[in-house]
DNA sequence: CGGAGTGTTAGTCG
DNA sequence: CCGACTAACACTCC
């Protein structure tokens, strides 16, 4: 589930409860889910939680970092005295006893609070890393779409030398970070641009509109706490978001376009499900 | 049983 | 070296 708005939502929630907590114990249940030195983390206090692209970083009192990418199915859940806070991929682990079937790492803090990293498909990871390593990792990413560093001129320069579909260019994190499959579909619909158009074919006016709409949608999704698909879990306080009610095209194949009434199309682009309106998007 | 799923990266080829 | 394309990662649900 996690795209930029979901990760940002998670960051804000974690920042309200994790700073000041000291790691007492770490249990790794799956070797592919953790990299780095556990010893660098034990006894350290979390001072802040930050986000860049879809990556979360936990800053520690010894100037090391705990870094995580949830990929498709990762979740972070903090369980305290009668409280449960977190976010990420919505599934039954949100409500079940933890550690559960998909718990890959468990952090225990000295105040008895627990942090669980659950990840069904084991694409996600957490790692211990120092400042230099963190900088090197983050250097692979273009600026966040919601960062003002992303300008029409910047995007135009990137797009004009690429023949790949604009949707793939929009989702290419080395060009611009934080736009995943859902929000790419939604932004292209809002900007009235067909997803398979070569990136280099966009006019400056179209790029301007795409940038404006991408930002608007991402900020709105953050305001609503992200997108939660599985209806079974949307009522759980503190975990679910509300943007699923705002989706215009994603997941609506065959249903009427909310603007013109014609059926929403679904194709595959770069191996990903792509939804659009053949009439409204040019 | 086959296919699809909210993300990224390694490898290949031109 | 760059861009385009594909497979792979591992698991659950429909």
């Amino acid at each position: 589930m996690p795209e930029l708005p979901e990760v940002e939502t998670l960051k804000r929630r974690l920042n309200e409860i994790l700073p000041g907590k000291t790691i007492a114990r770490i249990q790794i249940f799956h070797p592919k889910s953790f990299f780095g030195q556990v010893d660098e983390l034990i006894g350290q206090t979390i001072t802040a939680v930050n986000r860049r692209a879809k990556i979360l970083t936990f800053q520690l009192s010894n100037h090391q970092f705990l870094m995580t990418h949830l990929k498709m199915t990762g979740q972070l859940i903090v369980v305290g005295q009668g409280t449960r806070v977190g976010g990420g991929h919505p599934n039954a682990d949100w409500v079940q006893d933890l550690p559960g079937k998909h718990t890959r790492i468990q952090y225990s803090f000295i105040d008895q609070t627990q942090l669980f990293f659950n990840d069904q498909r084991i694409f996600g990871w957490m790692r211990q890393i120092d400042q230099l390593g963190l900088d090197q990792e983050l250097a692979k990413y273009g600026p966040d779409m919601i960062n003002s560093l992303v300008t029409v001129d910047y995007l135009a320069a990137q797009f004009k030398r690429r023949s790949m579909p604009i949707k793939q260019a929009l989702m290419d994190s080395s060009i611009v970070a934080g736009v995943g499959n859902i929000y790419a579909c939604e932004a292209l619909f809002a900007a009235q641009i067909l997803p398979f158009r070569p990136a280099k074919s966009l006019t400056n006016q179209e790029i301007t509109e795409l940038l404006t709409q991408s930002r608007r949608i991402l900020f709105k999704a953050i305001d609503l706490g992200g997108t939660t698909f599985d209806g079974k879990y949307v009522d759980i306080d503190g975990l679910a978001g509300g943007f699923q009610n705002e989706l215009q095209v994603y997941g609506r194949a065959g249903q009427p376009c909310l603007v013109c009434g014609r059926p929403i199309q679904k194709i595959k682009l770069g191996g990903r499900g792509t939804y659009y309106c053949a009439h409204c998007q040019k």
Side-chain angles (χ1 to χ4, degrees):
Chain A
M1 163 198 226
E3 289 203 29
L4 185 147
E6 291 76 40
V7 179
E8 176 65 20
T9 298
L10 181 52
K11 182 206 81 175
R12 293 179 183 186
R13 289 175 183 161
L14 295 177
N15 245 329
E16 294 194 0
I17 48 173
L18 288 184
K21 294 199 188 300
T22 301
I23 300 170
R25 184 179 183 209
I26 300 175
Q27 291 159 276
I28 297 169
F29 301 117
H30 198 293
K32 291 192 171 180
S33 297
F34 188 91
F35 303 93
Q37 302 299 322
V38 168
D39 293 351
E40 294 287 328
L41 306 177
I42 300 295
Q44 300 305 316
T45 302
I46 296 174
T47 55
V49 183
N50 293 299
R51 180 198 60 75
R52 174 80 171 81
K54 297 169 191 169
I55 286 174
L56 284 178
T57 55
F58 301 72
Q59 193 173 328
L60 302 172
S61 44
N62 63 347
H63 304 294
Q64 296 281 318
F65 295 85
L66 179 60
M67 177 181 182
T68 183
H69 198 305
L70 303 178
K71 295 291 181 85
M72 305 271 275
T73 57
Q75 332 169 297
L76 288 172
I77 298 180
V78 180
V79 178
Q81 287 283 4
T83 64
R84 183 171 286 221
V85 180
H89 185 67
N91 68 16
D93 294 322
W94 275 14
V95 290
Q96 290 174 352
D97 287 343
L98 296 172
K101 186 177 180 184
H102 305 117
T103 300
R104 309 305 179 190
I105 308 172
Q106 175 176 349
Y107 300 80
S108 302
F109 300 101
I110 58 175
D111 69 354
Q112 307 293 328
T113 302
Q114 315 273 342
L115 168 64
F116 296 93
F117 173 61
N118 299 323
D119 184 21
Q120 179 177 293
R121 291 173 72 174
I122 318 183
F123 291 174
W125 44 259
M126 298 188 83
R127 67 182 299 181
Q128 167 270 329
I129 198 165
D130 62 17
Q131 182 75 59
L132 180 61
L134 178 62
D135 292 345
Q136 288 172 344
E137 286 298 316
L138 297 183
K140 298 174 184 174
Y141 292 85
D144 281 13
M145 181 58 99
I146 58 172
N147 187 312
S148 54
L149 287 173
V150 179
T151 62
V152 172
D153 286 346
Y154 171 78
L155 287 180
Q158 295 293 321
F159 290 164
K160 77 178 177 191
R161 61 193 175 88
R162 300 186 204 241
S163 56
M164 68 170 70
I166 182 57
K167 179 174 174 247
Q168 280 177 254
L170 198 57
M171 292 172 65
D172 186 332
S173 60
S174 70
I175 298 175
V176 58
V179 187
N181 199 35
I182 300 173
Y183 298 106
C185 290
E186 294 296 316
L188 286 163
F189 174 77
Q192 302 182 304
I193 297 166
L194 288 167
F196 47 78
R197 289 256 310 276
K200 60 172 62 164
S201 75
L202 268 66
T203 64
N204 271 35
Q205 191 177 357
E206 288 174 323
I207 294 171
T208 302
E209 186 64 9
L210 185 55
L211 177 57
T212 302
Q213 295 299 333
S214 298
R215 285 225 176 97
R216 180 183 66 76
I217 287 166
L218 289 170
F219 280 124
K220 184 168 187 183
I222 291 169
D223 280 347
L224 293 173
T227 301
T228 306
F229 282 112
D230 195 325
K232 280 185 294 190
Y233 307 109
V234 298
D235 292 330
I236 297 166
D237 194 42
L239 291 176
F243 195 76
Q244 63 278 2
N245 301 318
E246 307 292 324
L247 296 174
Q248 305 288 298
V249 288
Y250 188 86
R252 298 192 65 246
Q255 296 176 46
C257 170
L258 297 173
V259 173
C260 76
R262 293 173 174 83
I264 297 299
Q265 308 294 309
K266 181 182 182 186
I267 58 169
K268 253 193 202 264
L269 271 188
R272 311 303 303 278
T274 301
Y275 302 83
Y276 67 99
C277 174
H279 179 257
C280 293
Q281 293 170 254
K282 311 289 182 191

